[in-house]
């Protein structure tokens, strides 16, 4: 087994995962930040497109303002609705007023007063059904030079939901915005804390009648699905724990760390996997335990769990599915499932689980710490116990079968 830490490319979550994580947070405002050139405005536009999909048949307005720099000339502000444009900064040559030294600009208050503040007032006046969000791209150091403009921005945040790009810079106003309790901050430079992943692949498949994890599923071994879903840079370290030499061979062929063992119990799989990850990455803030036979779990759902966990590291995150609520179901039924993501404060307990127990032992002992993340579709929770399960999951409509297993 090779547990050497591999340098992973920078993680970039799908826009939908970010939106789901934000919605799970129950915050009001979404702020996007990050270093120059990391794609903040691109992400903003992608999120707007996703939000528009919630309004079929009508295109909502997104009032607010945007700014743009004309190199070595000026910075302009534009009202997103009226398209009126003004100048908020002028190029000064070699003299720099930017505390970060990033550009050489002097503020122009008239642009904020004549374009920026009217744009904000327009955003505050529109009804939520016509304009679900106010949109700002971006807030930087020039904006902090005009106190009336800052006061208008604060009033906007107190009035309606805002999605905004903000400069990656420590300034009193920007720091105050980011620290508001109703704000969700998406830092594209540091979206995640280090999280490990243990893929539980030690079942013997007695009910299946053979090694189910190498049974064909949509043209490839079943285990391949979770290997692909957990690939990339989402996890700081990952390992498959298995009692199947065939699964070990699949992992070795794919260059995926795997640990083969012959111990009988679920607690053995948890302990061996977590110990192996910690040997490679002792800095892990959390560890996700995923089933090897849960083929329809999506990468976006795992990203949502990881992003949400990174904002609330002390909670245990568990996947579930909540049916849509309506007038007859104010509290919609919830189906519980896997995977489960534990913070590192529970690692000692995971490493000393009672014989035959899995992660659900901790879930029962610490119900107050469990935070549920809802999958988009119930079939993401389904696992494979029998050949019939595998057949049904291969159908175009796998909703015919929900997983009945609640443990990891």
């Amino acid at each position: 087994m090779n547990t050497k830490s591999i340098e992973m490319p920078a993680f970039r979550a799908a826009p939908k995962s970010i939106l789901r994580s934000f919605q799970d947070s129950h915050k009001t405002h979404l702020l996007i930040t990050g270093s120059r050139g990391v794609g903040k405005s691109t992400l903003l536009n992608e999120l707007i497109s996703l939000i528009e999909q919630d309004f079929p048949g009508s295109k909502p307005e997104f009032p607010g303002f945007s700014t743009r720099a004309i190199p070595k000339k000026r910075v302009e502000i534009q009202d997103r609705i009226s398209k009126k444009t003004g100048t908020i900064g002028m190029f000064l040559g070699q003299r720099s007023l930017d505390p970060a030294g990033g550009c050489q600009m002097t503020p122009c208050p008239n642009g904020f007063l004549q374009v920026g503040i009217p744009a904000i007032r327009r955003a505050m006046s529109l009804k939520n059904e016509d304009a679900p969000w106010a949109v700002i791209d971006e807030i930087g150091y020039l904006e902090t030079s005009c106190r009336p403009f800052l006061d208008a921005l604060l009033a906007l945040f107190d009035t309606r939901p805002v999605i905004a790009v903000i400069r990656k810079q420590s300034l009193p106003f920007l720091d105050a915005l980011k620290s508001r309790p109703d704000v969700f901050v998406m830092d594209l430079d540091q979206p995640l804390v280090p999280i490990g992943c243990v893929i539980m692949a030690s079942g013997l498949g007695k009910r299946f009648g053979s090694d189910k994890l190498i049974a064909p599923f949509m043209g490839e071994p079943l285990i391949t699905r979770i290997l692909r879903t957990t690939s990339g840079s989402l996890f700081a370290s990952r390992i498959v724990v298995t009692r199947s030499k065939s699964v070990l061979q699949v992992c070795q062929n794919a260059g995926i760390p795997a640990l083969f063992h012959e111990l009988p119990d679920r607690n053995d799989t948890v302990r061996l996997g977590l110990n192996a990850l910690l040997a490679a990455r002792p800095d892990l803030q959390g560890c996700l335990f995923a089933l090897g036979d849960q083929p329809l779990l999506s990468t976006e759902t795992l990203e949502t769990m990881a992003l949400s966990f990174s904002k609330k590291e002390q909670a245990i995150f568990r996947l579930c599915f909540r049916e849509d609520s309506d007038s007859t179901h104010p509290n919609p039924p919830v189906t519980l499932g896997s995977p489960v993501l534990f913070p590192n404060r529970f690692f000692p307990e995971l490493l000393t689980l009672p014989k035959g127990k899995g992660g659900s032992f901790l879930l029962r002992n610490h119900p107050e710490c469990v935070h549920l993340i809802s999958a988009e579709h119930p079939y993401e929770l389904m696992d494979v116990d029998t050949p019939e399960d595998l057949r049904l999951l291969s159908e175009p409509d796998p909703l015919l079968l929900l997983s009945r297993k609640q443990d990891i």
Side-chain angles (χ1 to χ4, degrees):
M1 178 191 67
N2 179 15
T3 59
K4 182 179 178 181
S5 181
I6 300 173
E7 190 69 25
M8 303 297 284
F11 170 73
R12 183 65 182 267
K16 193 169 187 179
S17 304
I18 294 172
L19 189 59
R20 288 173 63 187
S21 182
F22 163 72
Q23 292 166 338
D24 172 74
S25 74
H26 301 292
K27 305 282 188 177
T28 303
H29 312 292
L30 172 58
L31 299 187
I32 303 167
T33 190
S35 55
R36 189 175 300 175
V38 77
K40 302 185 292 293
S41 295
T42 298
L43 173 59
L44 174 66
N45 291 328
E46 291 170 336
L47 291 173
I48 290 173
S49 296
L50 285 174
I51 295 168
E52 286 178 336
Q53 294 175 15
D54 292 331
F55 296 84
S58 63
K59 192 171 183 179
E61 291 187 288
F62 293 91
F65 63 84
S66 58
T67 62
R68 66 165 185 157
I70 300 173
K72 297 187 178 181
K73 290 186 179 181
R74 62 188 179 276
V75 177
E76 295 180 342
I77 187 169
Q78 184 179 69
D79 186 320
R80 289 179 57 90
I81 302 299
S82 72
K83 306 304 181 184
K84 184 177 180 179
T85 300
T87 298
I88 58 173
M90 292 296 296
F91 180 66
L92 285 180
Q94 297 305 312
R95 183 182 171 200
S96 176
L97 298 183
D98 181 357
C103 66
Q104 301 78 38
M105 291 284 169
T106 186
C108 299
N110 283 343
F112 296 114
L113 299 174
Q114 297 173 6
V115 178
I117 291 178
I120 292 172
R121 288 173 176 167
R122 180 177 291 104
M124 293 170 62
S125 69
L126 293 175
K127 297 179 180 179
N128 284 348
E129 55 266 30
D130 300 322
W133 291 80
V135 174
I136 299 172
D137 183 12
E138 65 176 7
I139 307 171
Y141 81 96
L142 284 173
E143 286 78 357
T144 63
S145 67
C146 182
R147 187 68 245 180
F149 181 74
L150 297 186
D151 290 341
L153 276 175
L154 290 175
L156 176 64
F157 273 76
D158 290 337
T159 302
R160 66 178 306 113
V162 178
I163 180 170
V165 173
I166 65 171
R167 186 180 173 94
K168 186 69 174 288
Q169 189 172 340
S170 182
L171 293 170
F173 182 78
L174 300 184
D175 293 342
L177 276 186
K178 289 186 290 185
S179 64
R180 286 175 60 118
D182 59 354
V183 161
F184 181 97
V185 179
M186 184 65 203
D187 187 340
L188 296 183
D189 295 330
Q190 298 175 311
L192 297 175
V193 297
I195 299 170
C197 174
V198 174
I199 297 175
M200 310 278 283
S202 296
L204 295 178
K206 291 181 179 179
R207 280 181 287 175
F208 194 85
S210 62
D211 191 344
K212 64 181 176 181
L213 293 179
I214 61 166
F217 180 79
M218 297 184 179
E220 57 188 359
L222 177 63
I223 186 67
T224 305
R225 302 285 295 194
I226 192 64
L227 298 181
R228 183 180 301 113
T229 301
T230 57
S231 65
S233 53
L234 175 59
F235 297 107
S237 190
R238 174 178 61 149
I239 194 164
V240 179
V241 184
T242 186
R243 290 190 286 175
S244 165
K245 291 184 178 179
S246 297
V247 169
L248 178 66
Q249 188 63 54
V250 170
C251 294
Q252 289 175 338
N253 292 343
I256 296 171
L259 189 158
F260 177 80
H261 71 103
E262 296 179 331
L263 299 176
D265 296 316
R266 188 176 295 272
N267 61 295
D268 297 319
T269 303
V270 173
R271 183 186 70 256
L272 291 170
L274 183 54
N275 267 330
L277 291 185
L278 290 174
R281 289 295 302 260
D283 62 331
L284 291 180
Q285 300 299 300
C287 184
L288 180 134
F289 292 83
L291 301 179
D293 62 350
Q294 198 170 337
L296 300 182
L297 181 66
S298 74
T299 299
E300 283 184 356
T301 289
L302 292 185
E303 288 181 351
T304 302
M305 293 184 73
L307 289 168
S308 297
F309 173 83
S310 295
K311 303 293 183 183
K312 193 177 182 180
E313 296 173 39
Q314 296 307 305
I316 300 171
F317 280 72
R318 184 178 192 179
L319 190 64
C320 73
F321 180 74
R322 294 186 180 93
E323 296 181 15
D324 290 336
S325 61
D326 54 35
S327 58
T328 61
H329 267 297
N331 297 308
V334 176
T335 301
L336 300 175
S338 294
V340 180
L341 203 172
F342 291 94
N344 57 5
R345 68 187 178 108
F346 289 107
F347 286 0
E349 292 182 66
L350 287 167
L351 293 171
T352 56
L353 287 168
K355 182 178 177 64
K357 300 296 184 180
S360 61
F361 180 80
L362 267 66
L363 299 177
R364 287 190 291 269
N365 285 349
H366 303 282
E368 76 285 355
C369 298
V370 178
H371 180 90
L372 298 179
I373 292 281
S374 184
E376 280 204 294
H377 305 286
Y379 57 68
E380 291 192 66
L381 275 63
M382 300 175 187
D383 63 1
V384 173
D385 291 326
T386 67
E388 178 66 7
D389 293 346
L390 190 67
R391 185 189 68 79
L392 288 171
L393 289 177
S394 302
E395 294 290 330
D397 183 9
L399 301 180
L400 296 171
L401 178 68
L402 281 175
S403 173
R404 294 171 298 278
K405 300 188 65 139
Q406 302 292 311
D407 205 356
I408 65 168

